[in-house]
Amino acid sequence: MNINMIIYVLGWVLQLEAALMLLPMGCALIYKEIWAFTALGIGAIIAFLIGTLGTLIKPRRTAYYVREGFVICALSWVVMSLIGALPFYISGTIPHYIDAVFEIVSGFTTTGASILGEVEHLGKGLLFWRSFSHWVGGMGVLVLVLTILPLGGGYNMMIMKAESPGPDVSKMVPRVADTAKALYKIYFWLTVAWVVIFFFSGMSLFDSLCIAFGSAGTGGFAVRNSGMADYSMFSQVLITVAMLMYGVNFNVYYLVQKRKFKDALNCEEARVYLGIVFASAVFIALNIMKMYGGDILYTLHHSFFTVASLITTTGFSTLDFDTWPEASKMILLFLMYCGACAGSTGGGIKVSRVIILFKEIGKELLVLIHPEAVRHIRLEGKRIEQSVVTSVNCYLIMYILIFIVSVFGISFDKFDFVTNFSAVAATFNNIGPGLGAVGPVCNYAEYSDISKIILTIDMLAGRLEILPVMLIFMPKTWHKNN
């Protein structure tokens, strides 16, 4: 275990976080919120000083392997969250530190779960930091680090594999740093485009920025107490499109950028993803139409918005879907688990894993009928190696085990089973709102500190695809001879 290299990278991560806090500090100054500026400034100074201590001495041995890559990934998100929570805590807007950590972890992991009943009391500066954390965490903070700091040549892939969502990660270009730059270039300019579009749809510049950050990171933090309900129908349609776009694998946008339109259109995962969205939205619209006086346009509008919000794990809401019929809520629950495409900013199990699992079931059934048959699973026209199938199966087993343990862990609080079950589903899949007492018009404030810690770990495990978080809790990870 290259401990010195881990400390060195963590130092750079904290220095980067200090730099990122300058933006919300500027926002606080514009709105003359000196108290928010001071709280953010203290947080930035602490992050910078600790980060500088970590980078004073560059390690002699800069190589690192899978174990170090996964540990660096998990610890980076942990230390960023512990420091990132300080502005909320120092300002007194979230006076309980565990609550502040829950809120910022929800931001960085693009979950959108909140302990706040009213968000507007945070002020513009802290609301900006809260929403900006979605944008930072959406593509991944270490992917951002790789764009500016060559950490160890080809070894950078170890970090990228640990942080990037999906069953398999490949380089779009030969060098990992160039892949990271290509991803962030697409991410950045898409965000800029949506800020402009939202602004011209009638939103204020502040709202346009924050909603664009939330859509880009598929996060879901709102800047108004009413959530998305106060925006015009036109703006809500635009937000729906933005959420769906960020739920697509970014490799598709890279192919479009390189004018490989045929390859982009042949993306099997994207086609299945959009098919699920369309089928789910139409079914829900038909199911809830009687609730809204038979208004087909109204029901289609809100069903598409809600489906897009939940399958991309964004968590924005225009109305209380917890009041919908049970059939519609079952569809929504499936979407929470399914999630968006691999290589997107969305959470959940991922559409590619769902496809692989169903194809594996089909393959096993075929082998039962024809024992001599030889059949390989293919995705995007390419043969899926057995190691990938095994990793998908392993991921599903770990997912189920952690889910069961988490539901049990928070069940000692006073909430009913539906609330606890959906709370874990919403945090583990990085969605935000659940059902029952954690529905779209409620929050997580009433959970105990122990439950909040469990749900915070679930958010991190869900965003980092379980393995990095599990590894830091394993004693063998830290043994020098392993």
Side-chain angles (χ1 to χ4, degrees):
M1 177 68 78
N2 192 345
I3 300 294
N4 292 334
M5 191 61 187
I6 292 173
I7 294 172
Y8 184 71
V9 177
L10 293 179
W12 275 104
V13 168
L14 287 178
Q15 287 184 325
L16 175 62
E17 183 177 29
L20 293 172
M21 283 188 185
L22 295 176
L23 278 176
M25 287 173 66
C27 180
L29 274 183
I30 291 171
Y31 287 95
K32 299 178 181 179
E33 296 172 348
I34 303 303
W35 55 273
F37 176 83
T38 303
L40 286 160
I42 293 172
I45 291 170
I46 292 172
F48 180 77
L49 291 176
I50 297 175
T52 300
L53 287 175
T55 57
L56 282 177
I57 302 174
K58 186 173 181 179
R60 293 181 181 178
R61 185 166 63 92
T62 59
Y64 52 89
Y65 301 94
V66 174
R67 181 171 53 163
E68 286 93 344
F70 277 66
V71 169
I72 285 171
C73 179
L75 290 183
S76 293
W77 285 71
V78 170
V79 297
M80 269 197 72
S81 299
L82 294 176
I83 300 297
L86 289 177
F88 298 120
Y89 181 66
I90 293 169
S91 67
T93 52
I94 303 180
H96 193 32
Y97 184 65
I98 290 178
D99 285 350
V101 171
F102 181 95
E103 197 75 13
I104 199 64
V105 168
S106 181
F108 282 134
T109 60
T110 71
T111 302
S114 181
I115 51 85
L116 297 171
E118 295 184 1
V119 299
E120 293 179 29
H121 83 281
L122 289 178
K124 301 295 187 182
L126 291 178
L127 278 176
F128 189 96
W129 172 235
R130 185 171 173 263
S131 294
F132 187 50
S133 64
H134 283 331
W135 193 86
V136 174
M139 187 60 68
V141 63
L142 288 168
V143 175
L144 180 57
V145 169
L146 292 179
T147 66
I148 58 177
L149 178 69
L151 297 176
Y155 300 105
N156 286 339
M157 197 62 186
M158 306 304 174
I159 284 182
M160 200 163 182
K161 282 181 179 290
E163 189 174 51
S164 300
D168 189 35
V169 178
S170 57
K171 293 182 286 187
M172 296 188 297
V173 292
R175 293 179 67 245
V176 175
D178 291 338
T179 296
K181 289 175 183 176
L183 285 171
Y184 253 98
K185 186 178 179 180
I186 295 169
Y187 189 54
F188 176 80
W189 287 113
L190 271 179
T191 305
V192 170
W194 278 111
V195 170
V196 174
I197 292 169
F198 288 152
F199 180 73
F200 283 105
S201 77
M203 294 186 191
S204 67
L205 179 59
F206 177 80
D207 284 25
S208 298
L209 282 164
C210 292
I211 300 305
F213 292 152
S215 300
T218 61
F221 277 151
V223 292
R224 299 186 184 183
N225 294 333
S226 58
M228 299 293 111
D230 284 351
Y231 297 110
S232 67
M233 182 175 283
F234 179 56
S235 293
Q236 290 174 359
V237 170
L238 292 175
I239 295 169
T240 303
V241 175
M243 290 187 293
L244 290 174
M245 282 187 65
Y246 284 104
V248 174
N249 192 319
F250 270 62
N251 283 350
V252 173
Y253 300 128
Y254 181 77
L255 291 171
V256 171
Q257 184 184 13
K258 294 299 180 182
R259 301 184 183 278
K260 297 181 179 180
F261 302 112
K262 185 177 180 180
D263 292 337
L265 291 172
N266 286 334
C267 178
E268 182 181 354
E269 184 184 26
R271 294 200 306 270
V272 172
Y273 160 73
L274 293 175
I276 292 171
V277 169
F278 182 81
S280 300
V282 170
F283 175 86
I284 290 174
L286 295 173
N287 190 233
I288 67 175
M289 194 181 303
K290 288 183 179 179
M291 292 180 61
Y292 302 103
D295 189 335
I296 183 65
L297 181 62
Y298 183 89
T299 52
L300 278 173
H301 168 72
H302 288 287
S303 63
F304 266 101
F305 185 98
T306 304
V307 165
S309 180
L310 293 188
I311 195 170
T312 60
T313 69
T314 305
F316 287 146
S317 59
T318 53
L319 40 70
D320 186 4
F321 54 75
D322 195 33
T323 62
W324 288 359
E326 295 302 317
S328 292
K329 288 195 284 188
M330 287 303 297
I331 295 294
L332 296 180
L333 200 60
F334 163 74
L335 297 175
M336 290 181 184
Y337 287 105
C338 177
C341 299
S344 70
T345 59
I349 292 174
K350 304 294 181 301
V351 173
S352 58
R353 285 196 180 98
V354 174
I355 294 172
I356 291 171
L357 286 169
F358 273 100
K359 288 189 175 185
E360 176 69 4
I361 291 170
K363 174 188 169 184
E364 293 301 318
L365 291 174
L366 180 67
V367 170
L368 285 175
I369 300 171
H370 303 289
E372 302 299 323
V374 178
R375 185 176 178 180
H376 300 291
I377 297 174
R378 292 184 176 274
L379 183 66
E380 316 288 359
K382 299 177 181 177
R383 178 179 167 181
I384 299 295
E385 298 296 331
Q386 187 58 40
S387 60
V388 175
V389 177
T390 302
S391 72
V392 169
N393 293 334
C394 210
Y395 173 88
L396 189 61
I397 293 169
M398 289 187 294
Y399 181 98
I400 293 170
L401 287 174
I402 293 173
F403 196 97
I404 292 171
V405 171
S406 298
V407 172
F408 175 77
I410 69 172
S411 65
F412 293 95
D413 285 356
K414 59 184 178 181
F415 297 103
D416 59 88
F417 177 75
V418 171
T419 296
N420 289 332
F421 188 88
S422 65
V424 173
T427 51
F428 200 9
N429 294 312
N430 304 133
I431 296 161
L435 301 172
V438 292
V441 295
C442 305
N443 58 66
Y444 292 75
E446 295 303 315
Y447 272 107
S448 66
D449 287 349
I450 297 296
S451 293
K452 286 173 186 171
I453 292 171
I454 292 171
L455 295 174
T456 298
I457 294 172
D458 284 342
M459 287 189 277
L460 287 168
R463 173 59 183 85
L464 299 179
E465 305 274 277
I466 299 175
L467 282 177
V469 175
M470 289 190 68
L471 281 177
I472 64 173
F473 288 109
M474 288 184 62
K476 285 189 176 181
T477 302
W478 305 96
H479 290 177
K480 292 183 178 181
N481 297 325
N482 287 332

